[in-house]
Amino acid sequence: MANPLTSHRPVLAITLKLSALVLFTVMSAMIKALSADFPPGEMVFFRSLFAIPVILVYLIARGQLRQGLIVKKPMGHFWRGVLGTSAMGLTFTGLGLLPLPEVTAIGYATPIFTLILAALMLGETIRLVRIGAVALGLLGVIVMLWPRLGTGASLDQAATIGALCVLGATVARAFVQIHIRQLVQVDHAAAIVFYFSLTATLLSALTAFFGWTMPTPEQAAILILTGLIGGVAQILVTSSYRFGQASMLAPYDYASMLFAIIIGYVWFDELPTLVMLAGALLVIAGNVVVIWRERQLGLDNVKTRPLNPKA
């Protein structure tokens, strides 16, 4: 009998994925609200540390605690942690300098950069359709960043620094995806999630030497909540892929733009510019082409796979 925890339940999968995106957007808004009072390293520390109890409870409930503590490539997890922590710190810096929808939109470029790195580092073949998708996505990135980094931009401007930080975070996350593709070959997904949170906590703690701010009880509660929300959101994302295929769920990632626009307007009185939205649509279009192509390749593989006479 099939395990109901791994059954195809698309409505539940989509609900879990959208719930996770709402929580991630709320978490980002909380970080943005505190960014003027706390350095990014301190916020990364709270975000990572207080996600660990949530992750441990989840692993225990799933019976995966042992798999989550044993690894075969510890240095691989270390470098994944370094890259992931860097990406988180850069994103938190950008959240303090740019509107929430803009940070969200630039982040959509991660799959485009991942595709490029997969070709360069893993030797994956990129044919004409995906080359066109990459070109479309990169054009969208240029359109989004041009007001910040184009003619007249200066490193003295906060928005320019913020755009560079978020772009750097996007590239770092692409490297993270490459590392994860390699780690999942030898280690359990539970270990990847747990050791990232642990590594991020330890690395971000080192930034205390550069000066942290003592939070008020109210601020401390919000910082702790970012970790708890982040941990729950990560579990919801993981759970969503147990009930639905990645190709089916991937397009729903772009619902985060709607959530970011609503929360950005209500909380921070921010509205996206037409240029930013145009660039975001180009990036999304490039990603959708990639998703469509990956799905077509998967269907082709199924069609050409020889039938198993013993099945």
Side-chain angles (χ1 to χ4, degrees):
M1 182 179 296
N3 186 344
L5 293 179
T6 58
S7 61
H8 182 61
R9 301 169 64 182
V11 174
L12 177 58
I14 293 168
T15 300
L16 292 170
K17 184 67 178 287
L18 291 177
S19 299
L21 292 174
V22 171
L23 290 180
F24 276 130
T25 307
V26 170
M27 184 199 74
S28 296
M30 295 167 70
I31 293 293
K32 181 177 179 62
L34 295 173
S35 60
D37 300 315
F38 299 95
E42 185 174 357
M43 292 189 290
V44 170
F45 175 80
F46 278 91
R47 159 66 179 90
S48 304
L49 176 63
F50 288 95
I52 292 177
V54 178
I55 294 170
L56 287 175
V57 170
Y58 173 73
L59 295 180
I60 293 171
R62 292 279 299 162
Q64 296 176 342
L65 183 61
R66 184 174 180 274
Q67 297 97 317
L69 298 179
I70 298 176
V71 296
K72 295 180 180 179
K73 294 184 66 175
M75 287 307 298
H77 289 272
F78 171 75
W79 288 114
R80 182 263 187 269
V82 170
L83 290 166
T85 305
S86 300
M88 195 184 300
L90 288 170
T91 300
F92 287 3
T93 302
L95 282 168
L97 302 173
L98 292 177
L100 180 60
E102 189 168 347
V103 174
T104 303
I106 297 173
Y108 289 154
T110 295
I112 299 297
F113 290 126
T114 302
L115 197 60
I116 296 171
L117 292 175
L120 296 176
M121 299 176 64
L122 303 180
E124 294 186 7
T125 302
I126 300 181
R127 293 189 169 87
L128 187 60
V129 173
R130 286 190 283 184
I131 290 175
V134 168
L136 187 63
L138 291 178
L139 176 61
V141 173
I142 293 172
V143 170
M144 282 191 291
L145 295 179
W146 185 256
R148 307 298 190 189
L149 306 180
T151 304
S154 170
L155 289 178
D156 294 333
Q157 298 175 353
T160 300
I161 297 173
L164 288 172
C165 286
V166 178
L167 180 62
T170 302
V171 175
R173 281 197 297 270
F175 276 104
V176 166
Q177 294 302 315
I178 298 300
H179 272 272
I180 290 176
R181 288 189 188 187
Q182 296 172 321
L183 287 174
V184 294
Q185 303 301 317
V186 295
D187 286 326
H188 198 279
I192 297 173
V193 173
F194 172 74
Y195 280 103
F196 167 64
S197 295
L198 182 61
T199 305
T201 299
L202 296 175
L203 291 176
S204 60
L206 297 176
T207 65
F209 293 106
F210 300 98
W212 279 11
T213 301
M214 179 62 69
T216 65
E218 293 81 7
Q219 291 172 327
I222 296 174
L223 287 169
I224 292 171
L225 197 55
T226 63
L228 297 176
I229 289 176
V232 172
Q234 185 62 55
I235 289 171
L236 291 177
V237 169
T238 302
S239 299
S240 71
Y241 289 107
R242 297 202 337 261
F243 298 109
Q245 295 179 345
S247 59
M248 179 195 74
L249 291 171
Y252 290 92
D253 283 328
Y254 306 116
S256 60
M257 175 57 73
L258 175 62
F259 304 145
I261 290 174
I262 294 173
I263 294 175
Y265 177 73
V266 172
W267 199 333
F268 304 105
D269 197 26
E270 298 172 340
L271 283 175
T273 65
L274 291 177
V275 172
M276 189 278 290
L277 288 176
L281 287 175
L282 289 173
V283 173
I284 291 172
N287 287 333
V288 169
V289 172
V290 171
I291 295 167
W292 170 81
R293 184 55 179 163
E294 293 294 337
R295 185 164 188 172
Q296 290 298 116
L297 290 174
L299 291 174
D300 290 343
N301 288 337
V302 171
K303 291 176 182 177
T304 59
R305 188 180 302 147
L307 293 177
N308 183 355
K310 297 181 180 180

